[in-house]
Amino acid sequence: MAEKRGSSITKIAFLCLFITTTMMFVLSSRGRPGLFDHKTMPAEKLFTVFNNGDSQTSNQSNAESSNGSNRAILANSEKQRVEEGGFQVSCNGNLKEPLKIFLYDLDPEFHFGLLDWKPQGNSVWPDIRTKIPSYPGGLNSQHSIEYWLTLDLLASEFSENPSSREAIRVKNSSEADLIFVPFFSSLSYNRYSKLSPHQKKSKNWELQEKLVKFVMGQKEWKISGGRNHVVLAHHPNSMLNARMQLWPAIFILSDFGRYPLNVANLDKDVIAPYKHVIKSYVNDSSDFDSRKTLLYFQGAIYRKNGGFARQELYYLLKDEKDVHFSFGSVQRNGIRQASQGMHSSKFCLNIAGDTPSSNRLFDAIASHCVPVIISDEIELPYEDILDYTEFCIFIRTSDAVKKGFLINRIRSITKDKWTQMWEKLKQVEPLFEFQYPSKEGDAVQMIWQSLSHKVSSVKMKINKSKRYSRLVPRKRRGLRTRTK
């Protein structure tokens, strides 16, 4: 008993000594800036996206690049001044390292030749310093991302400050993070997918076959197995043939609606925004009261596949006095009418059609008309960075088609809540703008950032695939036994 009591006393004494020593250490450290000084501790980093001089800031945990070095500016939170509710950030961030892209010098028939551009001399690329081939407008432009990304890569060669860019072109593929395949696949589909008389294959189909043969024959593809290649197939019907053969590559898509899961998925691919068709609402001075229409939809009502909800909602909403729900197209001033309608509406419906996504969402963002998304399978651009619930309403299809559910949900949103979402729409709108030359924080730069998030995973897969590739198989030999 005495031994146990002595042991307990000893333990208590040591505990008291430990507590006393710790308290003295902490108290003495208050006057010593070198210990537990918040200035010497690694500050939480913030993700910064520039918006014409403004910036959006979100927690790094939501926007951390998978390769450990985000392509956006990582700025020390101690050096930032954040304006509440906005994108205003003053920072002294670290210089970013641009994404290094090797661009295949494909024949012009795969890219600018589709725009009727004719090469001069030996160059397969236009001299964009003198003249830029124009892209067709209307609905063609909504899937034009390959055009804008290719222009941006070509322009990077003339940049005075390459480190300020999200991506730069490199001439040596061994230095590249990714390999870019400049096939204007959406334009090829729109213009050349129909058979001409006496044709067995369309020009679009022939171009895909030639592309697959070229790309899979390159040493870059053979080394990586295609994992570090970037293929653009933004139109849902583009690359219908080639996609099944080039599936190891990173696809840039509008959605996964027409892809098997093993061919396209978020693990390896990137969702990019449509280019909006209607005009941006410049100098928007509207407010809740001046936008007289509560809910707006104009488009094709009767759709196949997942678009059944459109016709269901049409019958539910057509008699609501402050709802505009009608058939519309680009014909007969349809785009102008849609612009006027969205600019004067509080909420704009984005309902799944033949595919989960549509250009209508990005038209609504450009109009600062709060999107109401009814598309259960939709994937959204930059969702690892943006919280769409701050400026969009999401409603499940099964709920939306219940009588009274949708309209009651929309009417329940207060003026203050709508105003907050409207303000946020104006802030995020530049992130969906395609333009040349590109600007920090626009759609072109945001897509490069999304691609940069894939680099680490791609490199890991390539490196793992090389583990046994250098071992030359030899005929197995058994253990030799010494014979007498």
Side-chain angles (χ1 to χ4, degrees):
M1 293 291 293
E3 289 180 357
K4 290 182 179 180
R5 189 179 298 111
S7 176
S8 299
I9 293 172
T10 302
K11 290 179 180 179
I12 293 172
F14 274 112
L15 179 61
C16 292
L17 179 62
F18 174 79
I19 292 172
T20 303
T21 304
T22 302
M23 290 178 64
M24 293 178 63
F25 178 79
V26 172
L27 289 171
S28 65
S29 68
R30 289 183 176 179
R32 299 165 62 186
L35 293 174
F36 298 109
D37 186 356
H38 67 89
K39 293 181 181 179
T40 65
M41 299 294 284
E44 182 183 13
K45 292 180 178 179
L46 298 175
F47 181 84
T48 306
V49 177
F50 286 85
N51 171 13
N52 297 327
D54 297 342
S55 308
Q56 178 184 15
T57 305
S58 63
N59 225 310
Q60 188 189 7
S61 62
N62 296 327
E64 182 69 21
S65 166
S66 60
N67 68 347
S69 62
N70 204 300
R71 302 288 171 178
I73 297 176
L74 288 175
N76 189 311
S77 60
E78 284 290 317
K79 298 176 181 178
Q80 299 199 344
R81 175 177 51 83
V82 182
E83 180 175 297
E84 184 178 357
F87 281 42
Q88 296 287 341
V89 177
S90 173
C91 64
N92 183 13
N94 300 321
L95 289 176
K96 59 190 176 184
E97 181 184 357
L99 194 64
K100 296 176 182 177
I101 304 291
F102 179 76
L103 178 68
Y104 279 138
D105 285 324
L106 286 175
D107 188 276
E109 68 174 337
F110 291 101
H111 43 83
F112 288 101
L114 294 171
L115 296 171
D116 301 321
W117 172 79
K118 304 296 182 184
Q120 296 179 349
N122 297 324
S123 177
V124 299
W125 301 109
D127 185 352
I128 58 175
R129 292 170 295 181
T130 57
K131 185 177 181 180
I132 300 171
S134 59
Y135 201 90
L139 290 180
N140 282 289
S141 65
Q142 64 181 332
H143 298 295
S144 58
I145 63 169
E146 60 260 43
Y147 171 77
W148 303 104
L149 291 175
T150 303
L151 280 178
D152 194 58
L153 280 180
L154 295 176
S156 71
E157 297 186 87
F158 313 116
S159 176
E160 296 181 357
N161 185 14
S163 63
S164 67
R165 304 184 61 86
E166 290 293 342
I168 58 172
R169 183 186 182 187
V170 295
K171 295 299 182 68
N172 189 337
S173 62
S174 63
E175 300 174 0
D177 297 310
L178 297 172
I179 312 295
F180 192 85
V181 181
F183 176 39
F184 291 4
S185 60
S186 298
L187 185 62
S188 177
Y189 172 78
N190 282 332
R191 284 194 164 183
Y192 301 109
S193 59
K194 293 183 179 180
L195 283 171
S196 298
H198 310 297
Q199 269 189 326
K200 292 184 179 180
K201 294 180 181 179
S202 67
K203 181 178 178 180
N204 176 52
W205 198 267
E206 290 176 347
L207 284 175
Q208 290 181 61
E209 288 184 333
K210 291 171 68 173
L211 181 76
V212 169
K213 184 177 180 180
F214 172 87
V215 171
M216 297 185 73
Q218 302 304 303
K219 63 179 175 56
E220 289 83 8
W221 180 276
K222 295 175 181 178
I223 291 172
S224 68
R227 296 177 182 88
N228 62 352
H229 284 53
V230 179
V231 174
L232 296 94
H234 200 257
H235 192 291
N237 291 327
S238 62
M239 301 286 283
L240 283 175
N241 180 37
R243 68 175 65 169
M244 304 307 292
Q245 300 174 73
L246 301 179
W247 64 266
I250 300 170
F251 290 147
I252 301 183
L253 309 170
S254 57
D255 60 47
F256 298 130
R258 295 179 180 173
Y259 284 81
L261 184 61
N262 61 330
V263 172
N265 53 75
L266 279 177
D267 180 57
K268 74 177 186 69
D269 301 316
V270 167
I271 298 297
Y274 293 63
K275 186 180 186 298
H276 62 82
V277 175
I278 71 169
K279 293 182 178 180
S280 298
Y281 199 163
V282 180
N283 300 322
D284 180 5
S285 59
S286 65
D287 59 18
F288 185 85
D289 297 319
S290 67
R291 290 179 176 245
K292 300 300 183 182
T293 302
L294 176 68
L295 188 60
Y296 183 90
F297 177 88
Q298 183 166 304
I301 295 175
Y302 299 100
R303 309 301 290 176
K304 55 188 176 181
N305 300 330
F308 76 95
R310 290 192 183 183
Q311 61 193 66
E312 294 290 329
L313 288 169
Y314 170 71
Y315 292 115
L316 288 172
L317 298 172
K318 64 184 180 68
D319 295 326
E320 296 288 340
K321 61 179 181 179
D322 51 357
V323 173
H324 176 95
F325 201 121
S326 68
F327 175 83
S329 68
V330 295
Q331 306 297 327
R332 289 175 291 185
N333 294 320
I335 292 177
R336 182 177 59 82
Q337 291 173 5
S339 296
Q340 293 174 348
M342 287 186 166
H343 289 183
S344 59
S345 299
K346 297 177 178 69
F347 298 92
C348 288
L349 275 171
N350 181 74
I351 317 168
D354 292 343
T355 57
S357 67
S358 76
N359 190 59
R360 195 168 285 100
L361 168 62
F362 306 98
D363 285 342
I365 292 173
S367 304
H368 314 147
C369 179
V370 175
V372 180
I373 299 175
I374 304 172
S375 181
D376 299 345
E377 303 299 323
I378 196 170
E379 297 292 350
L380 298 166
Y382 339 132
E383 201 166 7
D384 57 339
I385 297 169
L386 287 182
D387 180 0
Y388 279 79
T389 63
E390 294 181 350
F391 53 90
C392 295
I393 304 295
F394 290 86
I395 298 178
R396 291 185 179 89
T397 303
S398 58
D399 290 329
V401 296
K402 295 176 183 176
K403 186 175 181 180
F405 185 94
L406 175 60
I407 194 66
N408 290 335
R409 173 76 175 88
I410 299 304
R411 293 194 194 282
S412 71
I413 298 172
T414 65
K415 179 178 179 177
D416 287 344
K417 178 62 177 176
W418 181 89
T419 303
Q420 290 176 9
M421 302 181 85
W422 173 73
E423 292 284 1
K424 193 69 176 181
L425 279 170
K426 292 192 293 182
Q427 294 167 10
V428 302
E429 179 192 356
L431 307 181
F432 301 95
E433 292 291 341
F434 290 90
Q435 57 200 336
Y436 178 81
S438 65
K439 298 178 181 179
E440 285 191 276
D442 70 4
V444 173
Q445 302 302 327
M446 292 296 288
I447 292 171
W448 290 131
Q449 285 190 34
S450 296
L451 284 168
S452 74
H453 298 167
K454 305 294 182 182
V455 171
S456 179
S457 176
V458 165
K459 288 183 176 178
M460 181 182 71
K461 291 175 182 177
I462 293 173
N463 290 338
K464 289 181 72 173
S465 71
K466 294 178 180 178
R467 287 180 177 180
Y468 306 108
S469 62
R470 296 182 182 179
L471 296 178
V472 180
R474 295 183 179 181
K475 185 178 179 180
R476 291 187 177 181
R477 299 175 180 176
L479 292 174
R480 293 183 178 181
T481 58
R482 186 176 297 176
T483 57
K484 294 182 179 179

